[in-house]
Amino acid sequence: MFLGPVVFIVLTALMTDEQALTSRLWPDQWNWHNFAEVFARSELLTWTANTFMYASLATIFMLASSIPAAYALSRFRFRGGKAAFLVVISAMMLPPQVVAVPIYLVWARLGLTDTLWPLILPMLFGDAFSIFLLRQFLITIPRDYTDAARVDGCSDVRILFTVILPMARPAIAAVALFSFFYCWNDYYGPLLYAGVDQEGWTLSLGLATFKAFHSVQWNLTMAATLLVTAPVIVLFLFAQKVFIEGVTLTGVKG
């Protein structure tokens, strides 16, 4: 049942335009040139490069900012710590559409609209969901490890890099994949900021436009869909073990 839609997309992508969405479910002839036709009729390579840049930089920035925040919330006892954690949880519940207009005005005044930087730079300030998920994992690591390192003279920064990060690799991999997949599939953000120039579009925005222009050519639409989804499917298949392990272990202890 899970593979049914995928098989349907693959078979339709290899059909002729006349056979697509007919009662004949098996291609009369295998039209591999449909994929070449997608590249010829769109800026797919440019969209792929933009999407990869967006997803990669946003994920790197998210990890660089969220890991220290999660470490502080899980290990340090300070005044206002619980309030800070409540702020993180509250930020998870805030729909992005609520603040879309004021945030757009800020980026417009900075002259960064019509680019993807308004979607990448905010990750330098952390991601609420990633901070929450990492914090839930880090509190499961016994304090004996960090206490022993502190007795040996390690600073908090060294403890983070030499003790915590190696033990938190499953959770880090999980939040990194969550972030990468979200950015790869993000449509709302690029729709707001990418502008009208196709050279700055991502795959999700480009695929929606491609479908609008080729809505009657379902074989090309399915071929484009397969090209867009294949990379993340392959990535998940290779990383599913560490991904599932990270998501599972974050719920061990509250």
Side-chain angles (χ1 to χ4, degrees), residues 13 24 40 58 61 76 97 115 185 219 229 234 250:
R24 305 193 308 275
F61 290 170
F76 299 158
Q97 293 82 359
T115 68
N185 297 320
N219 56 334
T229 56
V234 173
T250 53

Side-chain angles (χ1 to χ4, degrees), residues 65-89 92 127-139 143 160:
S65 57
S66 298
I67 291 175
Y71 175 62
L73 290 174
S74 64
R75 293 289 156 173
F76 299 158
R77 292 187 177 92
F78 56 94
R79 181 177 298 178
K82 292 184 178 180
F85 184 60
L86 289 176
V87 170
V88 172
I89 296 177
M92 293 172 52
D127 174 68
F129 176 74
S130 301
I131 293 173
F132 171 77
L133 202 64
L134 287 170
R135 184 258 182 190
Q136 294 302 103
F137 182 90
L138 294 183
I139 61 177
R143 289 183 175 272
L160 172 62

